[in-house]
Amino acid sequence: AGNVVAVDFARTAGADEEAELSREPVTVEVIEHVNLNSSRSDKETIHLALAFEDGAPAYEPGDSLELYPENDPALVDQILKAAGLEGDSVLRQALLAERDITTLSAATVERFVKATGHEEARRLIDSNEVRAWIEGRHLIDLIETYPAKLTAQHLSDITRPLPPRAYSIASSRAEVGDEAHLTIAAVRYATHGRDRAGVASVHVADRIRTGAKLRVRVKPNKHFRLPKDPATDVIMVGPGTGVAPFRAFVQERRATEAPGRNWLFFGDRHFTHDFLYQLEWQEALEDGSLARIDVAFSRDQPEKVYVQDRIWEQRRELVSWLDGGAHFYVCGDAKAMAKDVRAALVRAFADVKGLDAAAAEAAVAGLERSHRYQQDVY
């Protein structure tokens, strides 16, 4: 049954093209909610399978799905208490579902001062220390640090509409039909003596379960696409949740019987606890939809090992694939990983081909210009 591909002959190309243009939110049902990490992991990564009642929109591998979250009810209640508005049920519902109650910017502080006339907060702005002060803080910190008489209108003026959060789609319609899958890591941390949580990720991890309904909409990404020629080889670098679009890539290439080879670099902390979709990758190796996989589990040995280290180790084979026309894809953290991966590829070209630094850089830049090096980073 896993090798059967459902084809909807009633769906015309024109209908698909029209659907692709639609950016209207739709309601979906959660049909799978699975923590991909073991119970002993210090991470929590949710595999979310969503079912579309009226047929999945025309998403493509590489696209994202924007998810409309709700705020943490406990945080909403803290804000209402700090503002002296605990009894306002209409405002509570608005803060739950419609307003951004976490983001704190210099503009937020300025709107707060304008609404309340708070002199101490005004001095924070006038001293040019506001940008340093807001670092790692949220709206609740502002309201508690600078108490003021607030109204529902004040909170509306101070906050912005709650925006959706975009996640790379981890599935191919060619394989999963009228579904879309997401891979969402719960964001939890502490700053300034307070526990913090990612709005959408922890909403999904803590308050969404199978059977729940969510609002979503497709966010196309035409700059992160599989090669037009299915015979082209692809190299995919996706540590952590960066692996999500590559699950979609592999599903698409398997379902369409693309003859090109697929090579995945995956990394996380521990092999035993954090190998996302491990069984699926093993099956893909067995059925040939993955030609090879190289993994880097950074905390499994005294010296940390990352995907860029595996790229360096496999540099001769990797450069050979690229010389043969392969496309190179990177998804995940933009601050460090993406830069380190690119630097490792430049070093690989220099070493394998005997190039100086400038020529190796030019070789990788050439891949980028020809759209054979594509990134989806955040």
Side-chain angles (χ1 to χ4, degrees):
N3 294 325
V4 176
V5 179
V7 179
D8 182 0
F9 291 101
R11 181 177 293 174
T12 66
D16 268 359
E17 289 165 8
E18 184 176 337
E20 188 175 2
L21 297 176
S22 174
R23 293 274 285 129
E24 290 300 313
V26 296
T27 299
V28 295
E29 181 180 350
V30 176
I31 58 173
E32 283 185 19
H33 183 287
V34 180
N35 182 5
L36 297 174
N37 300 100
S38 83
S39 59
R40 294 174 58 192
S41 176
D42 55 3
K43 303 176 74 174
E44 187 178 3
T45 309
I46 303 301
H47 168 77
L48 204 65
L50 307 172
F52 294 81
E53 292 182 359
D54 298 323
Y59 72 82
E60 299 291 337
D63 288 343
S64 295
L65 202 64
E66 292 183 315
L67 185 152
Y68 289 79
E70 288 191 359
N71 287 305
D72 180 358
L75 178 58
V76 170
D77 291 338
Q78 289 176 32
I79 289 176
L80 290 172
K81 182 178 180 180
L85 296 167
E86 294 170 272
D88 193 330
S89 59
V90 174
L91 175 60
R92 186 178 190 275
Q93 184 57 39
L95 295 185
L96 272 173
E98 300 172 14
R99 309 305 296 178
D100 183 349
I101 62 169
T102 54
T103 302
L104 187 59
S105 64
T108 309
V109 180
E110 290 175 0
R111 290 195 296 269
F112 176 82
V113 169
K114 183 178 180 181
T116 65
H118 201 293
E119 288 302 322
E120 286 187 51
R122 189 188 305 279
R123 283 195 290 272
L124 180 66
I125 296 173
D126 294 341
S127 66
N128 291 322
E129 295 177 358
V130 64
R131 295 191 183 280
W133 187 84
I134 65 176
E135 187 69 29
R137 288 186 168 91
H138 290 161
L139 178 64
I140 183 64
D141 301 281
L142 176 66
I143 295 174
E144 289 187 345
T145 304
Y146 302 106
K149 179 66 176 176
L150 293 172
T151 65
Q153 187 60 50
H154 286 154
L155 283 178
S156 179
D157 292 341
I158 292 166
T159 59
R160 64 173 183 167
L162 181 61
R165 268 55 170 186
Y167 296 96
S168 298
I169 297 176
S171 58
S172 162
R173 288 187 302 150
E175 187 159 299
V176 304
D178 288 326
E179 298 178 14
H181 300 173
L182 301 178
T183 310
I184 301 176
V187 177
R188 308 179 198 270
Y189 60 102
T191 56
H192 302 288
R194 188 190 297 272
D195 290 335
R196 318 280 177 172
V199 174
S201 67
V202 173
H203 176 60
V204 166
D206 290 358
R207 298 185 294 279
I208 292 297
R209 290 294 180 265
T210 301
K213 298 295 179 70
L214 290 170
R215 290 174 64 237
V216 300
R217 69 179 179 186
V218 174
K219 183 179 181 181
N221 185 359
K222 296 182 179 180
H223 301 290
F224 199 73
R225 287 283 187 258
L226 281 165
K228 292 182 178 179
D229 182 355
T232 302
D233 296 334
V234 300
I235 301 166
M236 303 163 285
V237 183
T241 56
V243 81
F246 303 134
R247 183 174 183 264
F249 279 21
V250 171
Q251 286 186 359
E252 178 79 7
R253 303 260 282 185
R254 175 169 52 219
T256 59
E257 299 183 352
R261 297 174 297 173
N262 306 311
W263 182 356
L264 175 65
F265 287 87
F266 174 76
D268 215 308
R269 292 181 179 174
H270 299 284
F271 172 89
T272 306
H273 309 303
D274 305 314
F275 197 166
L276 308 184
Y277 300 113
Q278 177 185 358
L279 293 180
E280 291 189 22
W281 301 132
Q282 291 173 335
E283 291 170 359
L285 285 170
E286 291 176 5
D287 67 27
S289 49
L290 261 187
R292 63 181 297 173
I293 181 172
D294 285 87
V295 295
F297 294 98
S298 60
R299 309 306 200 271
D300 279 351
Q301 58 284 310
E303 183 178 349
K304 292 180 180 178
V305 177
Y306 299 105
V307 286
Q308 59 266 26
D309 300 309
R310 298 300 185 217
I311 285 171
W312 175 249
E313 291 172 4
Q314 304 300 329
R315 60 191 179 278
R316 296 193 181 281
E317 183 71 8
L318 191 146
V319 170
S320 175
W321 277 47
L322 290 170
D323 281 347
H327 286 211
F328 189 87
Y329 299 87
V330 182
C331 182
D333 170 50
K335 293 181 180 178
M337 183 277 297
K339 295 176 183 177
D340 291 341
V341 164
R342 191 184 186 284
L345 190 59
V346 171
R347 286 177 56 224
F349 269 99
D351 181 78
V352 173
K353 292 181 167 293
L355 304 176
D356 61 27
E361 168 63 32
V364 174
L367 292 175
E368 292 170 329
R369 284 194 303 273
S370 62
H371 306 294
R372 289 177 53 208
Y373 188 125
Q374 298 181 30
Q375 296 187 99
D376 182 13
V377 295
Y378 38 85

